[in-house]
Amino acid sequence: MESTHTKIRTTSIHKAFYENGAHLSALAGVDFHASDREFVSIIGPSGCGKSTLLNIIAGLDQPDAGSVELYGATTAQRLGSVGYMQQKDLLMPWRSVLDNCILGLEIQGVPRGEARTRARALLAPFGLEGFEGYLPHALSGGMRQRAAFLRTVLLDHDVVLLDEPFGALDALTRSHMQSWLLGLREDLKKTIVLVTHDVDEAVLLSDRVYVLTASPGTVRTVAEVKLPKPRSMEMVGDSAFVKLKLELLSALGSLGSRVR
Amino acid sequence: MKGPTGMNDVERAPGPYAAPRVGAGIRTSLVRWAPVAVIAIAAVGIWEAVVALEDIPNWKLPAPSAIADALWGDRGDLARHTWVTLKEVLIGFGIALGAGLLLATLIHMSRTMERVIYPPAIASQTLPIIVIAPLLLAWVGYGLQHKVVVVALISFFPILVNTVDGLRSTDGDLLNLMRALGANRWQMFIKAQVPHGLPYMFSGIKIAVTASVIGAVVGEWVGSSEGLGYLALRSKSQFLTERVYAAIFLLGVMGVVLFLAAGLAQRVLVPWHGRQRGGPNT
Ligand SMILES: Nc1ncnc2c1ncn2[C@@H]1O[C@H](COP(=O)(O)OP(=O)(O)O)[C@@H](O)[C@H]1O
Ligand SMILES: [Mg+2]
């Protein structure tokens, strides 16, 4: 019962890199878990191993020590079992928006026609209706990022990993994207892991927030976000929101030297 | 307003991806090419005037009008020789394209293949073609095949090198993403690396088509009884200088036409190129 409810569980993950003879510890014992349909954010100083953790969960990399359990099974062969999206949209410039969206399905062997039909059904909620025939270069940054997101969630995987998906966008577009994702969150019915450096974003969207320590990454604290749902952008002013945000900022160690 | 409206979103894409209107296309072409035409006509006029005023003998430098006369007067012969050379160029280039792409794929797929293929491929380019061409005569004989081999030898290399670079320069993050989505090596090759490499391949092709014409002429000089290169050589020994120039003119036209054809093919097959950041500068 428990194992089907928990979609991701990492136990004491260690990971080090060796570069020009130097040993660099990126993760030093990270316990992480996410349940079915849970939205979990990970925040932490840059270089603390957030992307490394996602790479390991996705199966792009293997931990030196510790185990990764995905959908209740511990296996080294995890490639192709989660949706994955990065800061760079990585859209193929030679493919139309629609054909970019179906890349994952195509890789899985779904016939193009059927894949396109499934993608078309999602164009409207992703704000891409009417743009499916465009090449990516003609789209704004926010639209490109939504196309990349559509490509990610179009797969039937229950788990979606988002690595700073809005990190490259300007502040205004980013807040549009956040409120859009907020509206979409419940409908997606997915387990979402979001890496972000935006504490507001983490609190607003998440059920739980992991704060990692600076390199090598370990879990400093995990905070439950007990704000009522459905959430809205206006909640950033609520006292509960502000209180949690201050807690997280202080866990990040960024309160003493406030720059933002 | 093109594009859908009513999105409750501040961002909106620029105009749709559509071909420019034909009328506007012709007008911009006119504006773009008019200065070129003016300069070309002026250059030819000055050439004609200098030859007439300085009384330069025909064997030294024929006037453009004399060359034009030769072009028209010998049109039957010239057409026949042009066709011979064009055939050598096209067949040789075709082989170069096939070989270049095949070798590039092998090099891309395996480091061992790279070590096996690259050294002899590079060596074949460092030796002057004019030295190798006579040796090839002994190997493949005197006919069309000799010229074709020389053309292929000189033009496969730019295709090979550019295509390898193109296949290799695919964004590693994109390949990682595909891997995370479960792609195998073949899918990454076909869906990402090949399309990414296409513009690079075309850079190689553009160099190769012009080199092909040189290759055909060199082959004909070493041993042939037909083709524009042969005709130029023979006409020189017969002091028919204006026909030498006529042959050179036709070789130049051939090179330009092939280059433009390659550019056209690129625009049809790689329409996204030049509309994005990155990629080779061509
Ligand atoms: N493939 C790699 N080779 C060497 N070092 C790496 C590699 N990937 C990540 N690192 C190092 O591991 C640390 C954590 O990186 P990363 O997970 O990208 O951090 P974050 O995403 O939190 O900013 C960094 O110091 C980074 O330089
Ligand atoms: Mg990162």
Side-chain angles (χ1 to χ4, degrees), chain A residues 15-19 24-27 42 44-55 61 163-164 195 212-213 215-217:
Chain A
K15 182 71 188 176
F17 293 105
Y18 298 89
E19 217 159 49
L24 185 129
S25 178
L27 295 171
I42 302 174
S46 89
C48 76
K50 303 181 293 292
S51 299
T52 304
L53 180 62
L54 291 201
N55 283 341
D61 222 336
D163 194 351
E164 303 193 26
V195 166
L212 300 192
T213 61
S215 184

Side-chain angles (χ1 to χ4, degrees), chain A residues 56-237:
Chain A
I56 288 174
I57 294 171
L60 286 171
D61 222 336
Q62 299 299 336
D64 299 334
S67 66
V68 184
E69 195 182 289
L70 206 55
Y71 306 117
T74 309
T75 164
Q77 203 2 279
R78 299 183 293 279
L79 290 171
S81 41
V82 301
Y84 194 20
M85 173 180 172
Q86 290 167 318
Q87 181 170 330
K88 283 202 267 176
D89 57 65
L90 297 174
L91 297 175
M92 295 171 163
W94 52 86
R95 284 187 176 220
S96 68
V97 168
L98 187 67
D99 284 352
N100 263 293
C101 292
I102 64 169
L103 177 69
L105 289 178
E106 235 182 274
I107 287 171
Q108 290 183 341
V110 176
R112 275 185 186 216
E114 188 196 325
R116 289 197 182 113
T117 309
R118 278 162 69 177
R120 274 201 194 91
L122 286 178
L123 287 170
F126 279 71
L128 293 167
E129 208 168 32
F131 291 93
E132 59 265 36
Y134 283 47
L135 290 179
H137 73 87
L139 266 54
S140 66
M143 296 183 92
R144 294 170 61 110
Q145 219 56 22
R146 285 201 298 266
F149 194 37
L150 202 167
R151 175 182 65 194
T152 312
V153 301
L154 192 58
L155 296 160
D156 280 331
H157 305 315
D158 289 342
V159 170
V160 171
L161 310 177
L162 307 173
D163 194 351
E164 303 193 26
F166 310 141
L169 302 175
D170 62 88
L172 187 61
T173 310
R174 183 160 65 227
S175 87
H176 275 278
M177 292 290 283
Q178 287 163 354
S179 76
W180 167 77
L181 185 56
L182 206 53
L184 201 68
R185 226 195 81 147
E186 304 303 326
D187 300 336
L188 285 176
K189 302 185 170 62
K190 307 242 184 209
T191 301
I192 299 179
V193 180
L194 171 76
V195 166
T196 177
H197 51 243
D198 185 332
V199 176
D200 281 346
E201 182 175 298
V203 175
L204 198 59
L205 290 165
S206 309
D207 300 308
R208 279 184 309 129
V209 180
Y210 280 77
V211 181
L212 300 192
T213 61
S215 184
T218 55
V219 177
R220 165 156 288 161
T221 172
V222 188
E224 295 263 350
V225 184
K226 296 214 184 68
L227 299 172
K229 287 192 248 182
R231 308 259 173 85
S232 71
M233 297 295 273
E234 288 74 50
M235 288 183 181
V236 295

Side-chain angles (χ1 to χ4, degrees), chain B residues 129-162:
Chain B
I129 194 74
I130 199 78
V131 175
I132 306 177
L135 302 177
L136 286 171
L137 212 52
W139 286 66
V140 297
Y142 193 71
L144 172 70
Q145 66 270 28
H146 172 251
K147 266 53 73 180
V148 163
V149 169
V150 175
V151 169
L153 196 59
I154 202 172
S155 55
F156 86 96
F157 194 66
I159 299 176
L160 169 69
V161 172
N162 280 284

Side-chain angles (χ1 to χ4, degrees), chain B residues 102-115:
Chain B
L102 180 69
L103 294 178
T105 307
L106 290 175
I107 286 175
H108 174 70
M109 291 285 183
S110 128
R111 291 275 157 191
T112 310
M113 278 299 170
E114 175 175 12
R115 281 189 282 267

